[in-house]
Amino acid sequence: MELKNKKLSRDEFLKIREEVLNQWPTGRDVDLEEAAQYLKSVPDYKNFCVKLKKAKDEGITLAQPRAGVALVDAHIELLKYLQNEGGADLLPSTIDSYTRQNRYSECEVGIEESKKAGRSMLNGFPAVNYGVKECRRVYESLELPLQARHGTPDSRLLSEIIHASGWTSNEGGGISYNIPYAKSVSVEKSLTDWQYCDRLVGIYEEMGIHINREPFGPLTGTLVPPSMSNAVAIIEGLLAAEQGVKNLTLGYGQCGNLIQDVAAIRALVEQAEEYFKEYGYDIELTTVFHQWMGGFPADESKAFGVICTGSAAAALAGATKVIVKTPHEAVGIPTKEANAAGIKATKQTLNLLRGQRLPLSKELKDEIELIKAETKCIIDEVLKLGKGDIAVGTVKAFEAGVLDIPFAPSRYNAGKMLPARDNNGAVRYLEFGNVPMNKEIRDYNRKLLEERAKYEGRDVSFQMVVDDIFAVGRGVLIGRPEK
Amino acid sequence: MELKNKKLSRDEFLKIREEVLNQWPTGRDVDLEEAAQYLKSVPDYKNFCVKLKKAKDEGITLAQPRAGVALVDAHIELLKYLQNEGGADLLPSTIDSYTRQNRYSECEVGIEESKKAGRSMLNGFPAVNYGVKECRRVYESLELPLQARHGTPDSRLLSEIIHASGWTSNEGGGISYNIPYAKSVSVEKSLTDWQYCDRLVGIYEEMGIHINREPFGPLTGTLVPPSMSNAVAIIEGLLAAEQGVKNLTLGYGQCGNLIQDVAAIRALVEQAEEYFKEYGYDIELTTVFHQWMGGFPADESKAFGVICTGSAAAALAGATKVIVKTPHEAVGIPTKEANAAGIKATKQTLNLLRGQRLPLSKELKDEIELIKAETKCIIDEVLKLGKGDIAVGTVKAFEAGVLDIPFAPSRYNAGKMLPARDNNGAVRYLEFGNVPMNKEIRDYNRKLLEERAKYEGRDVSFQMVVDDIFAVGRGVLIGRPEK
Amino acid sequence: MKKTIVLGVIGADCHAVGNKILEHAFTQAGFNVINIGVLSPQEDFINAAIETNAEAILVSSLYGHGEIDCRGLREKCDEAGLKDILLYVGGNLVVGKQDWNSVEQRFKDMGFNRVYPPGTSPDTAINDLKHDLGVE
Amino acid sequence: MKKTIVLGVIGADCHAVGNKILEHAFTQAGFNVINIGVLSPQEDFINAAIETNAEAILVSSLYGHGEIDCRGLREKCDEAGLKDILLYVGGNLVVGKQDWNSVEQRFKDMGFNRVYPPGTSPDTAINDLKHDLGVE
Ligand code: B12
Ligand code: B12
């Protein structure tokens, strides 16, 4: 079947489905009708869409941690702790890395080893191996909406299992869960597989069930210029909408310059809504702001500084939710205590700033316009390459380096674009590679980087990029040369 | 001698000095000439004025902790730890509460008990009891500028001893170290005694030695409207300048609404400079932003949230330095580790936001103008009451309730003014008492509080004030009624 | 009839906010509150209690010197004839974050009937006092 | 002559940033770097080492499954004839914040010559490698 941005027919969907449910024995327990009944019993306060809508209407920013361990009971204990002690507003189940690569037999090893070792040997919760029954047990043990968070290029079986278990949100997308997470999965393949995941949500919607979908905004989490991540978010939003998704949360990973961060969220909402309108999709749109996704400082107090700065930016931007890091970030998967600590620091910050927004200034307005203009250059070219089909255009755009994610592991990514911070810490394009921008934008980005170079008394170069990658972990935003 | 805002002559000063140095045996060791020689040997990197000036020029915000224990060696160890492990930029010596009340014999008890108990039984460093030799040992053990921080209505002897010991800054003022810290010291007395402290610095200046003075901005630290604390800061600045102080750091305690906090610092600088110019004083002016000075949450992660929000506001306001709280704040004097943790979280936040400022918007501009207009109403009336003499005017203004600090313990304070937060968390005047404001300002404050009352479905009342006092400790900024 | 209590902050301690809140809360709760305010020596508590025939003395200490300042208060009360008067103490009683049980014990040993950790809500103490005085 | 090393991220691990930095740093330091990238099975490390006659294999594991993924690598090297080839490993090797000494021991027991904690600077490893290979 050829990739096209067109809603899968029910027949096409069901045909693929047969194969999907056979990928691992637990697939056989998923029954669409029965699952729909189950999902209809999810109360409002445990439904992701409802909780997000309420937060959006009240202008509140919700806090959501990441968390997942190998064994079900330990996983439930962990999530309950984050709910009760941490005060999380939304809960995750972070899926382990073997599942993300569909290596379910390695998960079995991980589960067994974890039992033996008495601690989790997996970096997440292997939901597919456990299947619907156990995943429902997780859902039923909790009092908050539950979402799968992962990084799975082909998450069709995973999506079937988690939604059938009452988990009312799924993170990911054909670009955002491939390029940063895989090496040799073609964009065509992952887009096709995520059409399936989106279609599944669309089919539930047709049955009157509301499920939220969230493209993964931060991508590699490392100096991604806002216009590049916004372009990807909007493309994934459009692809999901075509498959019948109605409730979307678009995401963005903190870059560190407050004005740029706030501008990125505002530009994202405004521009996504314009595109949805243009294409006639009726979407309930919310946003997610990721606290700093790059390398963290190992010192826990310093980590709190990073966490709270991100929370403040999320609040001032008016994001609907914020994804929380922990004081253990630089070292390893957090204990439940460290995870709760991250949530508490985040919520305190959000509460202190509740209702406060960064007011519109010339600087903020200019930055919003710049991000929108850059994003438009990219999306226009994607559409052109696809002759109007954004799915086809996306495949071609990665081939051409029009879409290009810095530091991504995928061999389907050109890796020619290079970002660096300007003198105010905002992330700019150092090398455009084949990312298409008009001359004005190119000159402006260059000018800003030259300003920094001058201030630092060195040339604009790859060394700046390297320095910027290490900077936050070393306690500063901008990687200036040592004095 | 009658109080007047007039530089003390050298003779007047020396006459008082004789008496001051006799207040406690250690006073006899202070020799002005010898001290001046000693101070001249203070290198630039250990001089408060030089370090502040450099930070101001570079647009950097410095971090300074509070810290002090009963025994000299433990005190040195503590400060060294904050310098080396915490990464403090400026060091304090927080003076204990008996010293603040000039009860030096009780300090002796505290010192002895501390030796016995093996832990500090005093809440600060009793500098007067130790005298110049030991205080110099503290100064000489460190590699950063050192300041006395206290809360002493009559700190004449303390000032003599610390400056003679190479400590190049002294916090306090005749209003700010009386009204929040004492019950029955008249304003006239404390203003007179602080004229002495300021004159001492002025005399050193005449000898070519630069010493910094810092009025205590936050006052009671509890819902003080910015215009009230700015008025006090400017008055104390003018009083100090008259005595020959050249290097001033004016302070402000975080209120919690970001726009108001940034506006307060900007208004303070602009307006103070206008007054200094008007009165012909040539002052090197810097600012200090105090992280939240009211009740803290007991949970340490939440405390980090409060600490970092304050650091972010300080950076975005462009304050020259920020005074750091610790994760132990709600419970007790911090351990050195907790103190260092507060500094590290603060510095990480400052570093991430280095060079970033809240850009000027309509909201920010309006708030700056409001604060300046309110401040002017107060200072104008003080000058009127003093018939042009701001020292005399201050005494009369406290009698009249024109200057009125909320929740202050002093019986010389009217205590008729009541503050509360508006619906955005900014601190406003709920009851003006006798604080003189024009109708426009009164109506505007009232309107903002009515908005909040309406939102909360209750009347503007004292209960709001009580709720606001507890709010931050309970994890939110505004004390809304429970739902 | 309203029960009378004496309220104040002991020693060289100037923390006034909690004191004002406590006065407000105990008054609202129906007590006759004699507030001697901050910076109060032991003698002022005792004199106020004698003059007003109070049934309880509520001592606050926030600034850390509580351990030194409170010593001997019970004995002085006894000497002054305030036999068995209720003595409550609360605030940030000692210097630093210390193990609460040991702090509580130290103040109980000094003769305080009830000892409250940092951040105690006024309601807790009001309920305890009503219970101890047999009101309601 | 330039010394050849094999570099890669083992298992189902996709963390690419550190890998790109290491390639850059070791190349700058004068090594001939064969970077097999992320998501690399043990076999790919071994094959690359045989093909290029490498003197050391530098394994990264960031995502926490290092303990499972690295097991048996030394034995497989031995079998493939890569007797005594230098094996370094670094990154966030295990799940969670664990006592470093115990982690290091576990990987030494697996046959790694050097084991690096989270956030090790490339310079540290470059110096060690030069020392172990007797260059400079
Ligand atoms: C960016 C990032 C991501 C990005 C990666 C993008 C990409 N494709 O590269 C994204 C968001 C995609 C991601 C995904 C995941 N991540 Co991640 N990620 C990070 C993060 C924040 C920074 C990593 C980084 O780029 N650092 C900058 C580079 C320059 O440093 P470095 O990677 O540490 O490498 C340097 C040194 O370690 C050293 N080094 C590395 N290897 C070796 C080897 C030798 C021999 C030597 C000498 C030195 C050496 O030199 C390198 C260069 O200086 C870290 C936490 C942190 N460090 O702050 C977590 C972290 C590594 N991730 C983690 C996890 C668990 C995951 C996920 C499973 C999802 C999740 N649960 O959150 C997935 C993994 C999916 C998969 N299949 O692998 C955990 C691992 C936990 C553990 N070990 O206990 C970490 C530690 C975060 C945490 N505390 O939970 N992640
Ligand atoms: C505001 C404040 C100040 C203001 C006080 C203004 C004023 N005049 O009132 C200023 C800035 C002037 C100040 C000064 C000092 N402070 Co102060 N201050 C605080 C702070 C931040 C809040 C206190 C407050 O108002 N809370 C709000 C009120 C409503 O709560 P509360 O006071 O706790 O009282 C409630 C309860 O505790 C309880 N309660 C209190 N007493 C009693 C008694 C009984 C019987 C009962 C049942 C209940 C009860 O009910 C009250 C009402 O709800 C606290 C730390 C914190 N809590 O976050 C430090 C704190 C109390 N201060 C402290 C110190 C050390 C000082 C100083 C010595 C300076 C310094 N080193 O920083 C000076 C003291 C000078 C002096 N002579 O006393 C320390 C005490 C340390 C310790 N015990 O180990 C604290 C804990 C901060 C810290 N962690 O270092 N402070």
Side-chain angles (χ1 to χ4, degrees), chain A residues 259-439:
Chain A
I259 294 176
Q260 187 178 45
D261 286 335
V262 172
I265 288 283
R266 303 229 176 131
L268 181 57
V269 172
E270 290 172 19
Q271 214 163 10
E273 269 169 357
E274 288 163 20
Y275 278 103
F276 293 148
K277 200 165 159 210
E278 186 182 330
Y279 286 85
Y281 301 123
D282 184 23
I283 296 292
E284 177 62 48
L285 179 66
T286 47
T287 53
V288 50
F289 185 98
H290 292 252
Q291 291 175 4
W292 177 247
M293 287 293 288
F296 250 66
D299 180 277
E300 298 193 14
S301 307
K302 293 183 184 169
F304 275 116
V306 182
I307 289 168
C308 296
T309 312
S311 311
L316 294 171
T320 324
K321 71 172 183 180
V322 61
I323 303 294
V324 174
K325 290 265 173 169
T326 82
H328 284 184
E329 177 63 15
V331 181
I333 307 249
T335 56
K336 62 183 196 304
E337 290 81 11
N339 208 331
I343 307 172
K344 286 191 272 186
T346 297
K347 285 201 68 174
Q348 180 80 31
T349 306
L350 294 174
N351 286 343
L352 291 177
L353 293 169
R354 176 177 291 187
Q356 300 188 41
R357 296 286 179 274
L358 193 73
L360 198 64
S361 55
K362 184 175 178 313
E363 290 82 347
L364 180 56
K365 196 160 156 283
D366 289 352
E367 190 67 37
I368 293 174
E369 272 165 25
L370 175 66
I371 294 173
K372 284 169 89 170
E374 290 180 355
T375 306
K376 189 167 182 313
C377 286
I378 299 171
I379 298 182
D380 279 356
E381 187 68 19
V382 173
L383 282 166
K384 210 172 114 192
L385 287 170
K387 302 206 172 91
D389 184 305
I390 202 157
V392 176
T394 298
V395 175
K396 298 215 164 128
F398 271 102
E399 277 165 16
V402 164
L403 289 169
D404 194 353
I405 312 302
F407 317 108
S410 173
R411 66 168 62 109
Y412 292 90
N413 185 67
K416 289 196 178 142
M417 183 265 274
L418 269 186
R421 295 193 185 280
D422 70 17
N423 218 22
N424 293 316
V427 175
R428 306 293 175 193
Y429 292 88
L430 188 154
E431 301 279 1
F432 284 88
N434 293 326
V435 179
M437 299 279 175
N438 63 41
K439 181 154 185 323

Side-chain angles (χ1 to χ4, degrees), chain A residues 127-146:
Chain A
V128 169
N129 290 56
Y130 286 124
V132 173
K133 194 157 158 272
E134 291 296 80
C135 288
R136 283 190 182 171
R137 190 152 73 83
V138 174
Y139 159 77
E140 285 165 11
S141 308
L142 304 166
E143 296 303 320
L144 295 171
L146 191 58

Side-chain angles (χ1 to χ4, degrees), chain D residues 93-94 96 98-108 115:
Chain D
L93 293 173
V94 291
Q98 298 181 26
D99 169 54
W100 174 247
N101 291 329
S102 124
V103 173
E104 185 177 25
Q105 197 51 53
R106 262 177 263 163
F107 281 83
K108 290 232 155 145
V115 189

Side-chain angles (χ1 to χ4, degrees), chain A residues 33-344:
Chain A
E33 292 305 321
E34 188 271 348
Q37 283 313 312
Y38 186 80
L39 277 162
K40 278 185 180 153
S41 74
V42 171
D44 274 1
Y45 73 93
K46 288 176 80 169
N47 182 294
F48 236 88
C49 304
V50 178
K51 184 128 186 190
L52 286 171
K53 173 84 167 69
K54 191 160 168 274
K56 181 183 165 182
D57 291 346
E58 293 176 356
I60 287 174
T61 304
L62 304 173
Q64 181 179 15
R66 288 189 180 82
V69 290
L71 304 178
V72 185
D73 288 324
H75 186 61
I76 292 175
E77 190 197 315
L78 169 60
L79 294 184
K80 271 194 171 163
Y81 188 85
L82 301 182
Q83 167 187 286
N84 301 335
E85 172 63 22
D89 298 307
L90 299 164
L91 287 175
S93 286
T94 301
I95 307 300
D96 74 286
S97 290
Y98 293 140
T99 301
R100 296 170 185 216
Q101 306 290 332
N102 312 108
R103 304 192 192 166
Y104 308 118
S105 20
E106 284 173 64
C107 293
E108 287 299 322
V109 176
I111 293 172
E112 286 315 310
E113 298 250 344
S114 303
K115 283 181 189 159
K116 269 188 239 150
R119 59 185 161 88
S120 183
M121 299 286 286
L122 292 180
N123 59 15
F125 179 74
V128 169
N129 290 56
Y130 286 124
V132 173
K133 194 157 158 272
E134 291 296 80
C135 288
R136 283 190 182 171
R137 190 152 73 83
V138 174
Y139 159 77
E140 285 165 11
S141 308
L142 304 166
E143 296 303 320
L144 295 171
L146 191 58
Q147 176 188 46
R149 303 188 68 88
H150 40 122
T152 315
D154 174 4
S155 92
R156 294 172 299 172
L157 180 54
L158 178 65
S159 305
E160 287 278 1
I161 288 173
I162 57 130
H163 292 319
S165 304
W167 302 18
T168 46
S169 179
N170 189 18
E171 195 196 38
I175 303 167
S176 63
Y177 266 13
N178 175 359
I179 303 301
Y181 286 98
K183 184 158 79 171
S184 29
V185 176
S186 75
V187 178
E188 195 166 356
K189 171 86 169 69
S190 59
L191 288 181
T192 310
D193 292 341
W194 273 94
Q195 283 184 329
Y196 180 95
C197 302
D198 286 331
R199 190 70 200 102
L200 175 63
V201 172
I203 284 172
Y204 279 122
E205 282 287 346
E206 287 162 16
M207 299 195 263
I209 291 155
H210 303 308
I211 291 180
N212 170 262
R213 279 275 297 111
E214 177 186 338
F216 175 62
L219 302 166
T220 49
T222 307
L223 302 176
V224 184
S227 52
M228 185 54 73
S229 57
N230 279 7
V232 171
I234 291 170
I235 292 170
E236 292 196 347
L238 290 168
L239 292 169
E242 174 59 26
Q243 301 302 325
V245 169
K246 297 283 175 210
N247 194 292
L248 266 171
T249 306
L250 296 186
Y252 166 77
Q254 181 186 18
C255 279
N257 173 286
L258 181 63
I259 294 176
Q260 187 178 45
D261 286 335
V262 172
I265 288 283
R266 303 229 176 131
L268 181 57
V269 172
E270 290 172 19
Q271 214 163 10
E273 269 169 357
E274 288 163 20
Y275 278 103
F276 293 148
K277 200 165 159 210
E278 186 182 330
Y279 286 85
Y281 301 123
D282 184 23
I283 296 292
E284 177 62 48
L285 179 66
T286 47
T287 53
V288 50
F289 185 98
H290 292 252
Q291 291 175 4
W292 177 247
M293 287 293 288
F296 250 66
D299 180 277
E300 298 193 14
S301 307
K302 293 183 184 169
F304 275 116
V306 182
I307 289 168
C308 296
T309 312
S311 311
L316 294 171
T320 324
K321 71 172 183 180
V322 61
I323 303 294
V324 174
K325 290 265 173 169
T326 82
H328 284 184
E329 177 63 15
V331 181
I333 307 249
T335 56
K336 62 183 196 304
E337 290 81 11
N339 208 331
I343 307 172
K344 286 191 272 186

Side-chain angles (χ1 to χ4, degrees), chain B residues 369-481:
Chain B
E369 272 164 23
L370 175 65
I371 294 174
K372 284 168 88 170
E374 290 180 356
T375 306
K376 187 167 184 312
C377 286
I378 300 171
I379 297 183
D380 278 357
E381 187 66 22
V382 172
L383 283 166
K384 210 172 114 191
L385 288 171
K387 301 202 173 99
D389 185 303
I390 201 155
V392 176
T394 298
V395 174
K396 298 215 164 129
F398 272 102
E399 276 166 16
V402 163
L403 289 169
D404 193 354
I405 312 302
F407 316 108
S410 172
R411 65 168 60 110
Y412 292 90
N413 186 66
K416 290 198 178 143
M417 184 265 274
L418 268 185
R421 294 192 186 280
D422 71 16
N423 216 22
N424 293 315
V427 175
R428 306 294 176 192
Y429 292 87
L430 189 154
E431 302 279 0
F432 283 89
N434 293 328
V435 179
M437 300 279 174
N438 63 41
K439 182 155 183 327
E440 201 189 333
I441 291 174
R442 301 174 82 91
D443 291 349
Y444 185 64
N445 273 270
R446 189 72 199 179
K447 180 177 144 262
L448 291 172
L449 291 171
E450 293 289 355
E451 264 172 33
R452 167 176 171 193
K454 199 173 154 214
Y455 179 86
E456 293 177 356
R458 60 169 167 175
D459 289 339
V460 174
S461 73
F462 185 64
Q463 190 55 45
M464 267 187 190
V465 186
V466 174
D467 292 343
D468 284 348
I469 287 175
F470 285 115
V472 172
R474 291 181 180 160
V476 293
L477 184 64
I478 308 175
R480 311 268 193 209

Side-chain angles (χ1 to χ4, degrees), chain B residues 60-333:
Chain B
I60 287 173
T61 305
L62 304 173
Q64 182 179 15
R66 290 192 179 80
V69 289
L71 303 178
V72 185
D73 288 324
H75 186 62
I76 291 175
E77 190 199 315
L78 169 61
L79 293 183
K80 271 193 171 166
Y81 188 85
L82 301 182
Q83 167 186 285
N84 300 335
E85 171 63 22
D89 298 308
L90 299 165
L91 287 175
S93 285
T94 300
I95 307 301
D96 74 287
S97 290
Y98 294 140
T99 302
R100 294 169 186 218
Q101 305 292 332
N102 313 109
R103 304 192 193 167
Y104 308 117
S105 21
E106 284 172 66
C107 293
E108 285 301 321
V109 176
I111 294 173
E112 286 315 311
E113 298 251 344
S114 303
K115 283 184 190 157
K116 269 188 240 152
R119 59 186 161 85
S120 181
M121 299 286 286
L122 293 179
N123 60 13
F125 179 75
V128 169
N129 289 57
Y130 286 123
V132 172
K133 191 154 161 274
E134 290 296 79
C135 288
R136 283 189 181 173
R137 190 152 73 83
V138 174
Y139 159 77
E140 285 166 12
S141 307
L142 304 166
E143 296 304 318
L144 294 171
L146 191 58
Q147 176 188 45
R149 302 188 69 85
H150 39 124
T152 315
D154 173 5
S155 91
R156 292 172 299 173
L157 180 55
L158 178 65
S159 304
E160 287 278 3
I161 287 173
I162 58 132
H163 291 319
S165 304
W167 303 17
T168 46
S169 178
N170 189 16
E171 196 197 37
I175 303 167
S176 62
Y177 266 12
N178 174 358
I179 303 301
Y181 286 98
K183 184 156 79 171
S184 28
V185 176
S186 75
V187 178
E188 194 166 357
K189 169 88 169 69
S190 59
L191 287 181
T192 309
D193 291 342
W194 273 94
Q195 282 184 329
Y196 180 95
C197 302
D198 286 330
R199 188 72 200 101
L200 174 63
V201 172
I203 285 173
Y204 278 123
E205 282 288 346
E206 287 161 16
M207 300 195 260
I209 291 155
H210 302 306
I211 291 180
N212 170 263
R213 279 275 297 114
E214 176 187 338
F216 176 62
L219 302 167
T220 49
T222 307
L223 302 176
V224 184
S227 52
M228 185 54 72
S229 57
N230 279 6
V232 171
I234 291 170
I235 292 170
E236 292 195 348
L238 289 169
L239 291 170
E242 174 61 27
Q243 300 302 325
V245 169
K246 297 282 176 214
N247 194 293
L248 266 172
T249 305
L250 297 188
Y252 166 77
Q254 181 187 18
C255 280
N257 172 287
L258 181 63
I259 295 175
Q260 186 177 45
D261 286 335
V262 172
I265 288 283
R266 303 230 177 129
L268 181 58
V269 172
E270 290 172 18
Q271 213 163 10
E273 268 168 357
E274 287 162 22
Y275 278 102
F276 293 149
K277 200 166 158 209
E278 188 184 329
Y279 286 85
Y281 299 123
D282 183 23
I283 296 292
E284 177 62 47
L285 179 65
T286 47
T287 53
V288 50
F289 185 98
H290 292 253
Q291 293 174 3
W292 177 246
M293 287 293 288
F296 250 64
D299 181 276
E300 297 193 14
S301 307
K302 293 183 185 169
F304 275 116
V306 181
I307 288 168
C308 296
T309 311
S311 311
L316 293 171
T320 322
K321 73 173 182 179
V322 61
I323 303 294
V324 174
K325 290 265 172 166
T326 83
H328 284 184
E329 176 64 14
V331 181
I333 306 250

